[in-house]
Amino acid sequence: MLHLHYYPGNASLTPHMLLEELGVPYTNVWMTADEVKAPAFRDVSPLGLIPALALADGRTMIESAAMVSFLTTAHADKGLGPTPGSADHGIYLSWLHFMSTNLYMAYNMGDSDNFYSRNPAEEAFLLGKSIEKSNQLWAILAKRLEAEGPWLMGENFSALDLYAFMLCCWSRPKEVDLHAEFPAVAKLAKAVRARPKLKAALEAHGVMAPRS
């Protein structure tokens, strides 16, 4: 059985939602902030970050995008990703990594007490650049949704939409501002929130409604 180490309101949201949508056996391992920071957790997650997904053989996966790729491939029959090896699968992976390597990193740049700033002035500057860059990236995603939607893979809901929803929840200044700027993104977020299987996970992470 899979074991998801997680803490509410962060990158563990996507694998949590995905496991619920897949309906595969798993258990949640709730972590406190102190437990995540404890040196012992480095044996599970080398960077001391969550999520971490313990596999049936005792080894542990890190990186939320890797978990999405693994779970949708391992459970391809569930239809939450295109057939592995197909052209659609290549497009799917492209957009997954577009989000995980670009948009995710743009948000990280604006985190408080981030690694890159030396003082409050630099932190404020990076926050502004983070918002600017993330909005540029959301514009690209919104353009795809407008042309191909309602989901990122067209008519087919996939784990890509769960990943995009997680990033949507992190929007700055607030999620409602992102929705106002990009109606296609707002439509996707609303549709994800309406999925019956996700209610418990959304409640656990405090994202049943957008931040306003």
Side-chain angles (χ1 to χ4, degrees), residues 8-76:
N10 53 53
S12 54
L13 175 58
T14 295
H16 191 177
M17 291 189 295
L18 180 53
L19 287 164
E20 288 293 312
E21 284 282 354
L22 290 170
V24 298
Y26 81 100
T27 59
N28 283 319
V29 181
W30 279 90
M31 305 287 293
T32 66
D34 287 340
E35 287 172 334
V36 172
K37 295 174 184 176
F41 188 59
R42 296 286 177 136
D43 294 333
V44 176
S45 175
L47 291 174
L49 299 174
I50 47 177
L53 183 66
L55 306 175
D57 67 0
R59 291 181 292 177
T60 302
M61 288 190 70
I62 57 173
E63 300 296 339
S64 57
M67 294 173 199
V68 169
S69 296
F70 168 72
L71 289 169
T72 55
T73 300
H75 303 282

Side-chain angles (χ1 to χ4, degrees), residues 18-152:
L18 180 53
L19 287 164
E20 288 293 312
E21 284 282 354
L22 290 170
V24 298
Y26 81 100
T27 59
N28 283 319
V29 181
W30 279 90
M31 305 287 293
T32 66
D34 287 340
E35 287 172 334
V36 172
K37 295 174 184 176
F41 188 59
R42 296 286 177 136
D43 294 333
V44 176
S45 175
L47 291 174
L49 299 174
I50 47 177
L53 183 66
L55 306 175
D57 67 0
R59 291 181 292 177
T60 302
M61 288 190 70
I62 57 173
E63 300 296 339
S64 57
M67 294 173 199
V68 169
S69 296
F70 168 72
L71 289 169
T72 55
T73 300
H75 303 282
D77 59 308
K78 302 290 186 179
L80 286 172
T83 302
S86 67
D88 277 349
H89 193 239
I91 300 302
Y92 165 87
L93 291 175
S94 293
W95 286 105
L96 176 61
H97 290 281
F98 172 87
M99 291 188 285
S100 68
T101 61
N102 292 284
L103 189 48
Y104 195 121
M105 290 301 102
Y107 281 137
N108 276 356
M109 185 171 61
D111 287 344
S112 60
D113 299 322
N114 67 71
F115 176 81
Y116 307 102
S117 58
R118 296 169 295 182
N119 54 58
E122 289 185 352
E123 188 174 300
F125 172 79
L126 285 175
L127 174 58
K129 298 302 287 185
S130 169
I131 294 171
E132 179 184 350
K133 183 64 175 179
S134 61
N135 283 343
Q136 291 173 359
L137 297 167
W138 276 116
I140 294 170
L141 290 168
K143 183 178 179 180
R144 177 171 178 81
L145 286 169
E146 290 162 1
E148 306 282 345
W151 305 109
L152 283 168

